[in-house]
Amino acid sequence: MPQNDLARTRQPERLRKPGVRARNKAKRRRMLMWLILAVTAVSLWKGTEIIERLWPSPAPDVTSLHPIVAAKQADLIAAAAKIGIAILITDGLRTNEEQNALYRQGRGSSGQVVTNVKGGESYHNYGLAIDFALRTKDNDVIWDLEYDGNGSGSPDWLEVVDIAKGLGFTWGGDWEEFRDYPHLQMDFGYSIQELRRGGRPPQE
């Protein structure tokens, strides 16, 4: 066999069939194009929502309770009163400075530890949480989880919590780690990270 013919015989398959390689390359290019088109379509469909959740535009400072939280707070007070329980809302919107002062309590200042989160890390800082206490018939304010002032046979505190949950609040007493028994919140599906980046729940 001539030398040139022998060399051609020993050439790799991919070199002897350049058309196959070209077709595979074209196929990969088409698949990449379809992938880009699919991603673009999804972006056009859901892109605005995704971008707003991940990189929302700077939001104005929160200066009051979220209107839904404020309305549910009023409903809670009224519903508790109907079963003979008077409650006092002890905290609502809390500034970052106030939150930091609470965080220092029991750490750098006197008193016991009452929170594990600093300013900007609490739903109070975004008008999405309230704290409550009970008011006795003698007008004393108490945080007694066993007190049964209305004589129902159940602790008033837990009766208030049941009403609150029915109104859409979540209760800090259900938390696994740092249980916050006076705490009620509505997060509307927003994490603290999203709120810190400027995300805000709709007002209605």
Side-chain angles (χ1 to χ4, degrees):
M1 180 181 293
Q3 185 68 26
N4 290 342
D5 290 342
L6 182 61
R8 280 198 296 271
T9 303
R10 291 177 179 175
Q11 284 179 344
E13 184 71 18
R14 60 184 179 84
L15 294 180
R16 287 188 288 113
K17 294 185 177 180
V20 173
R21 187 177 182 188
R23 285 195 297 272
N24 288 340
K25 193 172 183 179
K27 185 177 180 181
R28 287 195 297 270
R29 190 179 295 119
R30 284 196 300 272
M31 290 177 63
L32 180 60
M33 186 180 299
W34 278 113
L35 179 62
I36 292 172
L37 288 173
V39 170
T40 302
V42 171
S43 298
L44 291 174
W45 177 41
K46 297 290 269 184
T48 302
E49 178 183 335
I50 293 170
I51 290 170
E52 287 180 353
R53 288 294 286 248
L54 294 178
W55 299 284
S57 56
D61 290 339
V62 179
T63 58
S64 62
L65 279 179
H66 188 283
I68 295 176
V69 177
K72 296 299 183 180
Q73 171 186 282
D75 292 343
L76 176 65
I77 294 170
K82 282 184 179 180
I83 59 173
I85 301 174
I87 64 173
L88 174 69
I89 303 301
T90 60
D91 214 348
L93 175 68
R94 190 185 298 150
T95 66
N96 287 352
E97 291 75 17
E98 291 169 334
Q99 185 70 38
N100 285 330
L102 279 179
Y103 182 80
R104 287 193 297 270
Q105 185 174 317
R107 293 181 174 89
S109 59
S110 60
Q112 63 180 16
V113 172
V114 294
T115 183
N116 275 343
V117 295
K118 299 179 181 179
E121 299 174 355
S122 168
Y123 284 98
H124 281 285
N125 306 146
Y126 305 96
L128 303 178
I130 60 175
D131 290 345
F132 77 95
L134 302 176
R135 195 185 290 277
T136 69
K137 293 177 181 178
D138 296 328
N139 215 32
D140 293 327
V141 177
I142 61 172
W143 288 261
D144 186 345
L145 272 64
E146 303 298 326
Y147 177 74
D148 182 18
N150 66 352
S152 67
S154 298
D156 290 359
W157 197 278
L158 297 184
E159 290 188 78
V160 173
V161 167
D162 285 342
I163 296 171
K165 288 181 177 180
L167 292 170
F169 286 99
T170 55
W171 180 42
D174 288 330
W175 295 346
E176 289 296 328
E177 295 181 4
F178 188 90
R179 295 191 177 183
D180 190 351
Y181 294 103
H183 183 90
L184 301 168
Q185 73 181 39
M186 290 185 176
D187 58 37
F188 300 95
Y190 281 72
S191 69
I192 286 294
Q193 289 74 20
E194 289 173 316
L195 294 169
R196 294 189 73 176
R197 287 196 298 262
R200 297 291 182 268
Q203 295 293 296
E204 297 179 355

